[in-house]
């Protein structure tokens, strides 16, 4: 019989999922709430009537019905109506019917016309009877997790759907008074299970397509009194971005998580938040093949065992089957997790002929590797299908992703025998270094593809098929692009002394900091025409493609060039400092503007890497680039002039020096800057503080500001004899760099207005400081004449060196001419900067050559590799 020939009508009483059949039993209770301007409440009695009407339209002949699922009343009614009529439902996402129409030839299609995602569903009968032989137990067909649109479907029975809804409702303790809100699509088994379990208990479901990042979503949660919502790991990423921990949600009773492993630290964090806020966190484990859920972690065990999947759902059980190829590499007691229960699918369908099959599996081999803990909880340690061998090393891709996530990188890993591909939404250079260091692979065996966002399925899970496709595409700049003298790569190689620059590297990832960014930014602006706002964290390959495709009109360049405001402020401030000391004019306050600018640059360049160890290394190197030239110059000046003592040379005069102002106080700025930087480096080396800064990048500098203000207003005696407290100014600059929206910039400005006036008691001095910080906060770039921009760039780059040297220059010339004293001071500082920069660039090169001759720390590499393989 052909696929289009209708089978004889079958009028035997259909098997119906019990909770669908019994909708009317809940009477006038609210079943569904539709959101939006046309909000309405639909009672169970009304829903039952709508479902019955739809079932009547489908007729008594049992057929294959394709339904486009959506979080709206029409789609839910269509789905339930097809089930109530005893039909087999093929549930697909909105607009996703195409591939499965050809593959399965459904008898009836309930979809919106022309792929539209709005408007009512059309019921389109493709034949009067059915072209298929449908097994009497078959009720629902769902795409396997991660394969939306694939012809491989999961066959679920009426018992599967009913039993899983009952077990979920049981362990969640769902009550008739509960009201869930849809955060996941109903065509995804997790989202569908929320609908099933609530309808089973006579509870309510609020239907919405809003995301958790929408403010309207949370207004809806409050106004409707929602008691729960569900999330996949990506949902919890978004919750942290929108400040969920600060929200007042008095009706919230519990939050559920499934759809992938949530990092244990995050499990603990949300469990603690729930405990403080009065709601429970249920971490769950499941697969479409088990209708939805197989295990849950009781909320009272989440803090103690945040990495566990918990215990089997009511009616289910687990076993562990040995996996011979593991050879015990993941530790004792590890095997493949095998699940048994009434919710285990009938089997898979690959074609319409499979719809006639009955039960083909009795237990579900999950493909996950796990162990049973002594307390009876189960935990997953890996995925059997996600192990690959790269250069003979057995790599657990899932564990590799976890390692990268622990260092703050959102990454997805795919692999083959010849290379590991890491797709990352973030710092590509850091991802490469981490992958090489933690996996023990050679750099040429790791390829990093930087993406703006990791591709995801509608369920929120990573779309590995798409990631593989992107990895096969043009992930690097074309051959030869970027290799020439006018390339971004060559510019970085020259100015950062890094001949190993790759297309995935960034300025920050290559070790660039506040002392080198000025020269790089000026030269890069010349190359690109317009300097991108986030150029310091943009991969070289992207900048090079922008350079290759940029159209830089000569006329515009003649009238001016964009310079970052921080560059202009540094240049102007050092001129004002020298000019004031040489008595060419009197404009005080510039050094304190530079202190705020130091905080601004600290946030931009020293806090860019997500890896705590990478950050610490970069911060210490940056401090050394301040300390070394300072100590060298002060020591030389002390030997030649006798003006300075040992306290100056070791940069301790600000702590142990005399209270009265003397020449020994010339270098207070450098000394206090080093103290602040070292203090913050130590603070951010604490893992908890590092995590706080990653989660709340604006809140931490606000806290530092609060501490700094204790010194500013004399509440806390810092023990520094002479300089006024300046930590709060550093914090204001840090806040300015993290002020990503108008509200935060306004908050920084308000803090400036509230704290700067009265600091010195000199209105003009205070005004200069306030103006500098506010300008830095609100104006990212300034236009200036092309010729002047290069001069400003040089002065900004050499500002530290000018500050160090001008004390030994201007006093000898100020009696001749203040102008000459200023020009000479600037010239000597620039010369010292050029000399010191050349010398410091040679040191890493020599150290690198020496390091290349050292034996590789094999034991350390193999230890890291073993930890990765074992899942520790």
């Amino acid at each position: 019989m052909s696929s289009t020939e209708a089978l004889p009508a079958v009028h035997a009483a259909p098997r119906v999922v019990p909770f669908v059949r019994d909708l009317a039993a809940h009477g006038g209770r609210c079943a569904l709430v539709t959101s939006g301007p046309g909000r309405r409440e639909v009672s169970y009695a009304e829903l039952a009537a709508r479902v019955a009407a739809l079932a009547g339209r489908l007729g008594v002949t049992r057929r294959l019905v394709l339904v486009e699922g959506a979080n709206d009343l029409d789609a839910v009614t269509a789905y339930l109506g097809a089930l109530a009529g005893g039909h087999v439902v093929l549930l697909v996402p909105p607009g996703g019917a195409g591939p499965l129409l050809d593959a399965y030839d459904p008898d009836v299609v309930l979809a919106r016309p022309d792929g539209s995602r709005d408007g009512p569903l059309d019921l389109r009968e493709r034949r009067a009877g059915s072209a298929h032989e449908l097994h009497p137990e078959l009720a629902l067909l769902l795409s396997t997790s991660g394969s939306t649109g694939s012809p491989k479907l999961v066959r679920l029975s009426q018992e599967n759907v009913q039993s899983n809804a009952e077990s979920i409702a049981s362990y969640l303790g769902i009550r008739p008074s509960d009201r869930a809100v849809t955060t996941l699509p109903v065509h995804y088994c997790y989202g569908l299970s929320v609908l099933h379990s609530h309808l089973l208990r006579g509870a309510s479901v609020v239907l919405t397509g809003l995301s958790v990042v929408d403010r309207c979503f949370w207004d809806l949660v409050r106004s409707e009194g929602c008691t729960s919502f569900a999330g996949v790991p990506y949902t919890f990423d978004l919750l942290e971005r929108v400040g969920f921990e600060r929200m007042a949600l008095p009706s919230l009773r519990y939050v559920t998580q499934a759809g992938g492993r949530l990092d244990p630290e995050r499990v603990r964090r949300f469990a603690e938040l729930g405990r403080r806020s009065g709601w429970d966190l249920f971490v769950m484990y499941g697969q479409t093949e088990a209708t939805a859920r197989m295990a849950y972690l009781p909320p009272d065990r989440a803090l103690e065992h945040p990495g566990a999947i918990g215990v089997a759902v009511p009616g289910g059980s687990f076993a562990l089957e040995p996996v011979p190829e593991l050879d015990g590499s993941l530790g004792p007691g590890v095997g493949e997790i095998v699940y048994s229960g009434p919710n285990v699918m009938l089997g898979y369908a690959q074609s319409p002929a499979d719809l006639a099959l009955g039960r083909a599996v009795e237990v579900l081999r999950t493909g996950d590797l796990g162990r049973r803990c002594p307390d009876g909880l189960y935990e997953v340690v890996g995925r059997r299908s996600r192990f690959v061998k790269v250069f003979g090393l057995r790599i657990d891709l899932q564990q590799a992703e976890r390692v990268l996530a622990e260092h703050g990188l959102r990454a997805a890993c795919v692999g083959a025998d010849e290379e590991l591909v890491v797709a990352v939404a973030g710092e590509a250079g850091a991802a490469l270094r981490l992958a090489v260091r933690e996996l023990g692979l050679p750099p040429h065996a790791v390829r990093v593809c930087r993406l703006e966002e990791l591709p995801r399925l509608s369920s929120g899970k990573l779309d590995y098929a798409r990631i593989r496709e992107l990895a096969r595409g043009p992930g690097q700049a074309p051959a030869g692009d970027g290799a020439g003298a006018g390339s971004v790569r060559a510019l970085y190689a020259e100015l950062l002394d890094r001949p190993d620059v790759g297309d995935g590297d960034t300025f920050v990832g290559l070790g660039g900091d506040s002392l080198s960014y000025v020269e790089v930014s000026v030269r890069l602006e010349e190359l690109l025409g317009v300097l991108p706002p986030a150029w310091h964290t943009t991969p070289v390959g992207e900048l090079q493609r922008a350079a290759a495709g940029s159209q830089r009109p000569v006329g515009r360049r003649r009238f001016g060039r964009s310079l970052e405001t921080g560059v202009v402020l540094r240049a102007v401030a050092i001129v004002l400092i020298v000019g004031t000391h040489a008595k060419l004019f009197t404009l005080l306050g510039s050094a304190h503007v530079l202190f705020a600018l130091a905080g601004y640059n600290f946030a931009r360049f020293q806090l860019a890497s997500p890896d705590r160890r990478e950050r610490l290394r970069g911060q210490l190197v940056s401090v050394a680039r301040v300390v070394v030239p300072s100590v060298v110059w002060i020591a030389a000046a002390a030997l030649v002039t006798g003006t300075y003592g040992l306290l100056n040379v070791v940069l301790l005069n600000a702590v142990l020096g005399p209270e009265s102002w003397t020449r020994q106080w010339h270098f207070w700025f450098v000394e206090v800057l080093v103290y602040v930087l070292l203090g913050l480096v130590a603070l951010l080396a604490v893992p908890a503080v590092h995590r706080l800064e990653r989660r709340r990048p604006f809140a931490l500098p606000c806290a530092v500001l609060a501490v700094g203000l204790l010194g500013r207003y004399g509440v806390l005696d810092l023990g520094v004899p002479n300089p006024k407290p300046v930590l709060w100014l550093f914090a204001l600059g840090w806040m300015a760099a993290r002020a990503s929206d108008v509200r935060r910039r306004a908050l920084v400005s308000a803090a400036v207005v509230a704290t700067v006036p009265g600091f010195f008691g000199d209105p003009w001095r205070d005004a200069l400081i306030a103006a500098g910080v506010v300008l830095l906060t609100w104006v990212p770039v300034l236009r200036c004449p092309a010729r002047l921009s290069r001069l400003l760039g040089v002065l900004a780059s050499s500002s530290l060196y000018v500050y160090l040297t001008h004390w030994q220059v201007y006093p000898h010339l100020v009696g001749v001419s203040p102008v000459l004293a200023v020009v000479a001071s600037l010239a000597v500082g620039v010369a010292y900067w050029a000399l010191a920069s050349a010398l410091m660039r040679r040191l890493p090169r020599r150290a690198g050559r020496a390091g290349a001759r050292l034996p590789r720390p094999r034991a350390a590499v193999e230890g890291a590799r073993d930890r990765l393989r074992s899942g520790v």
Side-chain angles (χ1 to χ4, degrees):
M1 180 176 294
S2 71
S3 64
T4 56
E5 182 179 350
L7 294 170
V10 179
H11 299 291
R15 300 183 184 183
V16 178
V17 179
F19 76 79
V20 178
R21 180 192 60 213
D22 299 335
L23 289 173
H26 300 293
R29 297 194 58 81
C30 177
L32 303 174
V33 179
T34 65
S35 60
R39 178 197 181 275
R40 59 176 300 197
E41 291 192 7
V42 179
S43 69
Y44 274 91
E46 181 185 350
L47 178 61
R50 293 172 64 96
V51 166
L54 194 285
R57 291 181 62 191
L58 291 173
V60 295
T61 301
R62 193 160 182 259
R63 296 189 282 182
L64 177 62
V65 180
L66 184 146
V67 177
E68 280 192 354
N71 295 353
D72 59 50
L73 180 58
D74 278 353
V76 171
T77 300
Y79 166 69
L80 295 173
L83 286 180
H87 304 284
V88 177
V89 178
L90 172 52
L91 194 60
V92 301
L100 294 175
L101 276 174
D102 296 332
Y104 281 89
D105 188 27
D107 305 308
V108 183
V109 174
L110 280 158
R112 290 182 168 86
D114 302 322
S116 170
R117 292 176 180 263
D118 300 309
L121 293 176
D122 283 348
L123 191 156
R124 181 158 47 95
E125 289 189 294
R126 307 179 79 199
R127 59 186 61 88
S130 178
H132 308 288
E133 183 180 350
L134 304 172
H135 192 277
E137 294 182 21
L138 184 60
L140 179 61
L141 297 167
L142 294 176
S143 292
T144 59
S145 178
S147 61
T148 302
S150 166
K152 184 178 181 180
L153 302 175
V154 173
R155 296 184 291 118
L156 300 174
S157 68
Q158 295 90 359
E159 182 189 17
N160 292 155
V161 175
Q162 180 72 18
S163 65
N164 207 228
E166 289 175 351
S167 67
I168 294 170
S170 173
Y171 71 73
L172 289 180
I174 297 177
R175 311 163 183 167
S177 58
D178 278 329
R179 178 166 286 190
V181 60
T182 56
T183 47
L184 301 168
V186 296
H187 64 79
Y188 169 43
C189 71
Y190 185 11
L192 192 61
S193 71
V194 174
L195 179 70
H196 289 172
S197 55
H198 282 72
L199 294 181
L200 174 81
R201 288 291 177 88
S204 307
V205 178
V206 179
L207 301 173
T208 180
L210 292 172
S211 166
V212 295
V213 300
D214 295 323
R215 181 175 297 178
C216 296
F217 174 85
W218 299 108
D219 293 339
L220 179 68
V221 169
R222 295 185 189 92
S223 64
E224 297 295 347
C226 296
T227 58
S228 70
F229 67 86
V232 296
Y234 184 57
T235 308
F236 289 80
D237 288 344
L238 300 178
L239 291 178
E240 291 191 334
R241 295 183 200 178
V242 300
F244 173 71
E245 71 277 8
R246 300 188 299 275
M247 293 183 184
L249 303 168
S251 61
L252 189 62
R253 199 165 72 80
Y254 64 88
V255 176
T256 65
Q257 183 273 319
R261 182 180 186 269
L262 190 63
D263 179 73
E265 180 186 332
R266 188 170 287 180
V267 170
R268 185 180 285 115
R269 195 159 64 241
F270 275 93
E272 290 174 343
L273 174 62
R275 182 169 293 184
R276 294 194 305 269
S277 305
W279 49 265
D280 290 326
L281 174 67
F282 283 87
V283 175
M284 309 188 299
Y285 167 74
Q287 291 180 357
T288 310
E289 289 83 347
T291 313
R293 303 276 73 79
M294 291 182 284
Y296 73 100
L297 180 62
D300 59 353
R301 311 289 295 277
L303 290 176
E304 184 183 358
H305 300 281
I309 61 171
V311 298
V313 299
S317 63
F318 286 122
L320 295 171
E321 287 194 355
V323 182
E325 62 265 29
L326 288 180
D327 297 326
S329 61
L330 293 182
V334 173
E336 182 177 6
I337 298 176
V338 178
Y339 175 80
S340 302
N343 52 318
V344 173
M345 65 175 179
L346 297 174
Y348 291 112
Q350 302 275 8
S351 70
D354 296 332
L355 305 184
L357 301 177
R359 179 165 292 280
V361 296
E362 296 297 332
V363 297
L364 178 61
R365 287 172 173 78
T366 65
D368 287 324
L369 303 174
R371 63 167 66 96
R372 187 177 186 270
C373 301
D375 55 9
L377 299 179
Y378 284 84
E379 62 180 9
V380 174
V381 299
R383 180 78 183 158
R384 188 170 184 173
S385 63
R386 298 213 68 217
F387 283 84
V388 296
K389 277 196 173 182
V390 181
F391 278 82
L393 295 177
R394 196 164 184 273
I395 302 297
D396 180 350
L397 298 177
Q398 184 170 319
Q399 182 64 13
E401 292 175 357
R402 292 177 188 172
V403 169
L404 294 170
E406 287 171 0
H407 291 84
L409 288 173
R410 291 180 291 130
C413 298
V414 294
D417 289 342
E418 65 278 2
E419 69 176 356
L420 173 72
V421 177
V422 180
V424 61
E427 176 56 51
L432 176 61
R433 287 189 294 274
L434 281 168
V436 169
R437 186 179 73 206
E438 300 292 343
L439 278 68
L441 290 170
H444 64 271
V446 181
R447 180 154 58 93
V448 177
C449 298
R450 185 183 183 276
L451 306 175
E452 289 301 318
E453 286 291 337
L454 296 178
R456 296 182 181 273
L457 301 167
S458 58
S459 63
K461 291 186 176 183
L462 290 169
D463 188 346
Y464 285 103
R466 177 62 178 156
I467 289 169
R468 289 189 184 91
E469 181 182 326
L470 291 171
R472 286 193 296 267
Q476 304 293 333
D481 183 24
S487 73
V488 177
R489 202 180 325 160
L491 188 152
Y492 278 23
E494 173 196 350
L495 298 182
L496 300 178
D497 195 46
R498 290 290 300 267
D500 58 337
V501 177
D503 286 344
D505 288 320
T506 67
F507 171 80
V508 172
L510 291 168
D513 60 12
S514 59
L515 294 179
S516 54
Y517 96 98
V518 177
E519 187 178 10
V520 174
S521 66
V522 172
R523 294 274 298 277
L524 190 61
E525 196 271 345
E526 292 177 354
L527 185 64
L528 299 181
V530 176
L531 194 65
W535 66 269
H536 58 294
T537 57
T538 302
V540 168
E542 291 186 25
L543 292 174
Q544 184 57 50
R545 286 189 286 275
S550 64
Q551 299 292 327
R552 302 189 295 276
V554 176
R556 183 181 177 189
R557 291 282 297 276
R558 187 179 300 139
F559 287 107
R561 186 177 290 156
S562 295
L563 274 184
E564 291 189 356
T565 301
V567 175
V568 177
L569 285 178
R570 274 174 71 167
V572 172
I574 196 61
V575 171
L576 293 182
I577 289 170
V578 176
T580 297
H581 289 168
K583 303 188 184 307
L584 180 62
F585 44 72
T586 301
L587 283 172
L588 299 172
S590 296
H592 292 79
V593 173
L594 286 179
F595 224 93
L597 187 57
Y600 183 83
N601 289 329
F602 176 79
R604 294 182 70 204
F605 303 113
Q606 301 310 313
L607 300 181
S609 174
D611 177 38
R612 182 168 60 89
R613 283 172 290 185
E614 290 284 338
R615 275 190 177 189
L616 179 60
R617 189 160 40 244
Q619 289 161 359
L620 291 176
V621 169
S622 184
V623 173
R625 288 174 179 168
V626 175
V627 170
V628 171
S630 299
V631 169
V632 169
W633 181 266
I634 297 170
L639 288 173
V640 173
T641 68
T643 303
Y644 309 114
L646 180 61
L647 290 180
N648 293 115
V649 175
V650 296
L651 304 180
L652 287 176
N653 185 74
V655 176
L656 303 175
E659 293 192 13
S660 59
W661 186 271
T662 66
R663 291 182 179 180
Q664 282 73 36
W665 282 98
H666 283 170
F667 305 105
W668 74 267
F669 178 90
V670 175
E671 294 174 358
V672 177
L673 176 61
V674 171
Y675 304 160
V676 169
L677 289 176
L678 288 176
L680 290 174
V681 168
L683 178 67
L684 288 160
V686 177
V689 179
H690 168 77
R691 292 192 295 270
L692 174 63
E693 196 282 329
R694 297 304 297 170
R695 295 198 310 270
R696 307 282 298 279
F698 187 73
L700 184 58
C702 291
V704 175
L705 173 66
V707 173
L709 288 176
L710 297 178
R712 153 75 174 91
Y713 290 107
V715 177
L716 180 66
D717 183 3
L718 300 178
V720 178
N722 198 295
K724 282 183 171 287
V726 288
L727 175 62
W728 63 283
L729 285 170
F730 188 97
L732 282 174
W734 184 354
M735 289 170 62
R738 292 303 197 218
S740 56
D741 53 37
V742 172
R743 182 177 65 84
R744 287 184 173 88
R745 287 193 287 271
L747 183 61
V748 175
S749 302
V752 171
V753 172
T755 60
V756 173
F759 181 51
F760 280 105
D762 178 349
W764 291 107
R765 193 172 187 178
D766 292 342
L768 180 66
I769 298 171
V773 180
V774 171
L775 186 67
L776 192 65
T777 303
W778 289 95
V779 184
V781 295
L782 294 169
R783 299 291 296 178
C784 64
R787 293 180 181 178
L788 180 61
S789 68
R790 198 64 188 267
L791 174 61
L792 290 174
V794 170
L795 290 175
S797 297
S798 59
S799 56
L800 170 67
Y801 301 85
V802 172
Y803 179 84
L804 289 169
T805 60
H806 84 287
W807 300 107
Q808 280 70 57
V809 178
Y810 81 84
H812 303 290
L813 298 172
V814 70
V816 178
S817 167
V819 173
L820 178 61
V822 171
V823 172
S825 295
L826 297 176
V828 171
V830 170
Y832 183 40
W833 162 67
L835 175 63
S837 299
L839 290 174
M840 285 193 289
R841 284 173 183 168
R842 288 186 179 184
L843 290 177
R845 193 179 301 140
R846 291 181 178 178
R849 287 198 294 267
R853 294 192 294 269
L854 294 175
R856 188 179 181 188
R858 182 180 180 86
V861 172
E862 290 184 349
R865 186 186 307 160
D866 291 341
R867 289 195 302 274
L868 189 65
R869 293 179 196 161
S870 64
V872 176

